[in-house]
Amino acid sequence: MRKALPIVLLSTLPFPSWAQTPDQAPTIVVTGAGLDLPPGTPAYGSVVIGRERLMDSASGRIENILGDVAGFQQFRRSDSRSANPSSQGVTLRALGGNASSRTLMLLDGVPLADPFFGYIPFGALAPERLSVVRVTRGGGSGAFGSGAVAGTIELASATREQLPDVAVSALYGSRDATEMSATVTPDLGDGYVSLSGRWDRGDGFYTTPRDQRVEASAPAAYDGWSTDIRAVAPLSADSELQFRATLFEDKRTLRFKGADSMSQGQDASIRYVARGAWQVDALAYIQARNFSNIVISSSTFRRTLDQRNTPSTGLGGKVELRPPVGADHVLRIGADTRQASGDMYEDAYNAGIASNPLTSLRHAGGEQWTAGLFAEDDWTLGRLILTAGARADHWTIRNGFYRQVSATTGVASGEDFADRSGWETTGRVGALFQASEAMALRAAAYSGFRLPTLNELYRPFVVFPITTQANAALDPEKLKGVEAGIDLRPARWVTLSATAFYNRLDDAVANVTIDAETRQRRNVDRIVAKGIELTAAAELGDMRLSASYAYSHSRVHAPGEAFDGFTPAQTPRHAASATLAWAPRQGPSLSTTLRYVAKQYEDDLESDVLPDALTLDAVARLPVGHGVTVVARGENLFDETVVTRNAGGSIDLGTPRTLWIGLSFRG
């Protein structure tokens, strides 16, 4: 078997699927990747994070690595060790959010968002399993599927060439934390199988500031594991079958003793890729997820809510064809579909009485379904590449309901919500002009849409003392945007990029304040975000530098509302990141990452501020021979106070200084 080039090269270089001479049989090349990226991809200004960076993070968490792309943000500043899982939606370009993802995140073409909540299960995504991450800020839906209103994040699995036969690592960190992972990748015939596992646990830090702690306060302990098996087998000289199955479980404790959450999942996908004259990329997947969460009163420290069971299922698939239409065109046509269903079972308690009695039992749920057709063509005209695509999606929201039964009287109440459906047409166009070897100009315009999640439609929730109501009448969000940029290479070892953008999100779903203790999810007229994104990279000898900065001026337009003209909640105006690494081919290595995020507001009324924060991370590696390396990592070395939540002065904090030491082995 001839091993594949890294996928980061596959995205830019022509790669014949096989070559044959009269004396030879076809050479089988197993890549484990999808089809090559079309030539018009750079028109949308993607940012690529390579495997070297993925393997060299102080936290070992993919969500923190994504922070290298300025403008990337989760609903809260916490990572997956100390955040409530349901708050870990992702977005880009300061379009705000309410914990559901406005960015479409894919792993080998499969959507990752939870079918019910819309959050990303970051605890199941181990960086060592990945080859490359491509972040497209903006860009609309294109051939990706619905949901990409704020951009797309594409994760690709590591190739066989990047995976050693055996890789093991074990680290011990502050507050009795451990991180252990192992991967075994044997060749099987002309294909391979990769089996990996990871376990993370720690006693955690106090998210509550010292002057706000009470007897019931507890550190943010976490305990999570994931296993992943991926198999790639050739079917012919130019086609292969890829299979993946992932199991994960993630347990966390937040703020108070007994405030425990649990998320788990069982995901599987199968993918067929053909690289012949007619290129094909077909995949199907299933997701089985669950979530539970106990809410503790911040005044009586008794249980107020037991979200004991939230099972959900996601089913979907995609078929993309690339017919042979000539050397100057790459035509993509296809269809995709996604179905999501889920239920919420929760029990409410009276926290004001010492006996903490059960007061009511609640059950809510529903289904969503989207199916789309797409076509996109990239046309190369010398130094000019034009790209254009269109989608038509039919969506359905059905079988929505909410039930509540009194635990004392047995009286039932509730509502069945009307089924809804509709069509959305979206598209994108772009142009890339290679003015010289050192300069490229690009421009793009696009549109996209996102259905509200089942969580937004049907599930109210409490972050004590604030109750946020669901809203079964929410309309889909719709985005229109334009951008223009320039890419420069002033020297062989330096690349610079600048992008100016204007995005408008109509019918944006927001948590709207009704009174001091009540919010409701509502569509607001629009959010308008405009700004500038800068990136830079340099490599000189053993030194590497990468940097990113985003300035975003974002405003909510909601005539008649108190927050009209305000900045969307959880949206910073400035964000920056820079990583400097010294990484010789042999011997020790060192990298440091400096990140800055400006102040942002907790709520829609700009009443509670999250101050700005500057953090420094570092990673050092010392090879000691026979494939063994000593690893030292440091997170937030300045021990900066990072405020992640501020509800009327009730504060939560992010990761303090955290130190790690351990060993890794590759053989």
Side-chain angles (χ1 to χ4, degrees):
M1 180 181 71
R2 189 179 74 200
K3 296 178 180 177
L5 291 170
I7 193 171
V8 69
L9 297 180
L10 290 177
S11 68
T12 57
L13 299 178
F15 188 78
S17 57
W18 58 275
Q20 185 176 5
T21 70
D23 300 326
Q24 292 178 314
T27 300
I28 295 177
V29 179
V30 176
T31 71
L35 297 177
D36 295 352
L37 295 172
T41 300
Y44 300 105
S46 300
V47 178
V48 173
I49 302 174
R51 182 166 172 82
E52 296 85 357
R53 173 59 181 147
L54 292 170
M55 297 290 289
D56 208 28
S57 162
S59 68
R61 323 291 297 191
I62 187 65
E63 63 270 31
N64 292 328
I65 299 171
L66 288 170
D68 286 2
V69 181
F72 168 86
Q73 64 179 111
Q74 301 178 83
F75 180 64
R76 301 208 181 276
R77 297 172 174 180
S78 308
D79 65 26
S80 55
R81 295 167 292 187
S82 61
N84 187 294
S86 65
S87 72
Q88 292 197 271
V90 299
T91 191
L92 295 160
R93 287 200 165 158
L95 285 172
N98 62 355
S100 297
S101 292
R102 284 189 168 130
T103 298
L104 181 63
M105 197 162 177
L106 307 168
L107 173 59
D108 295 332
V110 177
L112 287 169
D114 182 88
F116 188 90
F117 291 92
Y119 70 83
I120 305 299
F122 283 112
L125 301 175
E128 60 268 20
R129 299 171 189 162
L130 303 176
S131 169
V132 69
V133 176
R134 180 179 296 274
V135 180
T136 303
R137 295 173 285 197
S141 295
F144 299 121
S146 63
V149 294
T152 305
I153 301 175
E154 302 167 83
L155 283 64
S157 292
T159 65
R160 179 62 182 94
E161 184 175 86
Q162 295 168 328
L163 294 169
D165 293 342
V166 178
V168 180
S169 71
L171 293 99
Y172 182 79
S174 304
R175 297 171 291 278
D176 199 26
T178 57
E179 177 192 304
M180 302 179 67
S181 66
T183 302
V184 179
T185 309
D187 293 329
L188 290 180
D190 288 320
Y192 65 92
V193 174
S194 184
L195 177 63
S196 64
R198 177 162 165 161
W199 177 45
D200 299 87
R201 67 154 307 280
D203 290 346
F205 61 92
Y206 280 95
T207 59
T208 305
R210 187 177 298 275
D211 60 356
Q212 294 186 5
R213 292 176 199 166
V214 295
E215 185 178 351
S217 296
Y222 63 95
D223 191 339
W225 59 266
S226 68
T227 62
D228 183 274
I229 183 170
R230 187 166 189 261
V232 180
L235 300 179
S236 67
D238 56 12
S239 65
E240 65 188 44
L241 199 63
Q242 306 169 12
F243 169 80
R244 173 191 296 281
T246 303
L247 285 75
F248 67 89
E249 184 175 85
D250 192 343
K251 298 179 180 179
R252 309 177 199 176
T253 298
L254 303 177
R255 302 191 73 208
F256 301 117
K257 298 172 184 177
D260 302 325
S261 70
M262 184 277 297
S263 59
Q264 61 181 199
Q266 303 87 40
D267 296 357
S269 64
I270 189 167
R271 188 181 197 183
Y272 169 74
V273 178
R275 299 180 177 84
W278 279 78
Q279 298 186 22
V280 181
D281 189 347
L283 66 87
Y285 61 89
I286 182 171
Q287 301 164 322
R289 306 281 181 85
N290 205 344
F291 173 78
S292 64
N293 183 48
I294 295 176
V295 180
I296 300 295
S297 166
S298 61
S299 57
T300 66
F301 313 111
R302 303 186 186 105
R303 179 169 47 182
T304 64
L305 194 66
D306 183 358
Q307 299 165 337
R308 55 185 172 83
N309 195 21
T310 315
S312 63
T313 302
L315 295 169
K318 172 183 174 180
V319 176
E320 177 182 327
L321 303 177
R322 298 187 186 181
V325 291
D328 295 336
H329 288 269
V330 175
L331 176 63
R332 310 166 69 187
I333 55 175
D336 53 57
T337 185
R338 177 172 171 83
Q339 188 266 347
S341 61
D343 292 86
M344 173 209 72
Y345 299 90
E346 64 180 26
D347 302 335
Y349 293 81
N350 187 340
I353 299 177
S355 61
N356 202 195
L358 176 68
T359 59
S360 61
L361 295 85
R362 302 166 184 165
H363 180 200
E367 300 177 30
Q368 289 181 332
W369 176 69
T370 58
L373 300 172
F374 64 86
E376 188 162 89
D377 183 53
D378 290 21
W379 187 11
T380 302
L381 298 167
R383 294 186 174 185
L384 177 65
I385 299 175
L386 303 176
T387 177
R391 290 186 57 90
D393 289 274
H394 183 262
W395 59 267
T396 300
I397 299 174
R398 62 191 180 192
N399 299 328
F401 67 92
Y402 180 84
R403 303 277 187 272
Q404 180 167 301
V405 178
S406 170
T408 55
T409 66
V411 174
S413 60
E415 185 176 0
D416 291 314
F417 303 108
D419 295 348
R420 295 184 286 152
S421 62
W423 283 90
E424 295 292 342
T425 56
T426 56
R428 62 179 189 171
V429 295
L432 176 69
F433 179 63
Q434 193 70 44
S436 68
E437 292 186 358
M439 181 173 66
L441 305 174
R442 50 186 165 79
Y446 38 79
S447 61
F449 85 101
R450 180 187 75 90
L451 282 183
T453 64
L454 298 173
N455 177 51
E456 292 169 312
L457 292 166
Y458 306 126
R459 173 185 168 263
F461 71 95
V462 178
V463 178
F464 198 85
I466 297 173
T467 298
T468 300
Q469 302 171 348
N471 184 352
L474 291 172
D475 292 323
E477 298 178 333
K478 302 174 185 178
L479 177 122
K480 297 181 178 67
V482 294
E483 63 184 63
I486 182 171
D487 302 316
L488 301 173
R489 185 180 285 272
R492 180 180 56 84
W493 46 277
V494 177
T495 58
L496 305 171
S497 178
T499 303
F501 67 89
Y502 176 94
N503 285 180
R504 168 174 164 163
L505 184 66
D506 294 322
D507 293 324
V509 178
N511 294 339
V512 175
T513 298
I514 297 174
D515 56 46
E517 295 186 354
T518 309
R519 294 175 185 162
Q520 185 184 45
R521 296 188 178 99
R522 294 181 181 176
N523 292 109
V524 301
D525 183 55
R526 64 185 182 273
I527 293 174
V528 174
K530 50 191 174 182
I532 297 174
E533 297 158 344
L534 306 176
T535 61
E539 185 170 349
L540 184 60
D542 295 331
M543 300 294 294
R544 295 198 308 266
L545 170 69
S546 62
S548 179
Y549 166 75
Y551 167 79
S552 306
H553 186 276
S554 188
R555 285 286 181 265
V556 178
H557 290 256
E561 298 284 357
F563 53 86
D564 181 40
F566 285 11
T567 300
Q570 307 292 334
T571 300
R573 181 159 294 188
H574 303 274
S577 175
T579 297
L580 179 64
W582 175 63
R585 291 185 178 274
Q586 296 181 345
S589 64
L590 175 67
S591 70
T592 59
T593 299
L594 189 68
R595 288 203 180 97
Y596 173 77
V597 60
K599 76 171 184 180
Q600 55 200 77
Y601 295 101
E602 172 73 28
D603 61 330
D604 57 331
L605 297 180
E606 296 187 351
S607 56
D608 297 315
V609 175
L610 307 177
D612 61 349
L614 179 70
T615 60
L616 177 69
D617 297 342
V619 179
R621 298 181 182 274
L622 176 63
V624 295
H626 304 288
V628 178
T629 300
V630 177
V631 182
R633 307 190 320 207
E635 304 177 58
N636 191 7
L637 293 175
F638 293 155
D639 203 22
E640 176 85 344
T641 298
V642 180
V643 178
T644 63
R645 186 188 69 90
N646 179 5
S650 175
I651 301 293
D652 281 349
L653 303 177
T655 305
R657 182 188 296 116
T658 303
L659 305 178
W660 298 85
I661 188 72
L663 299 173
S664 68
F665 169 77
R666 293 168 62 88

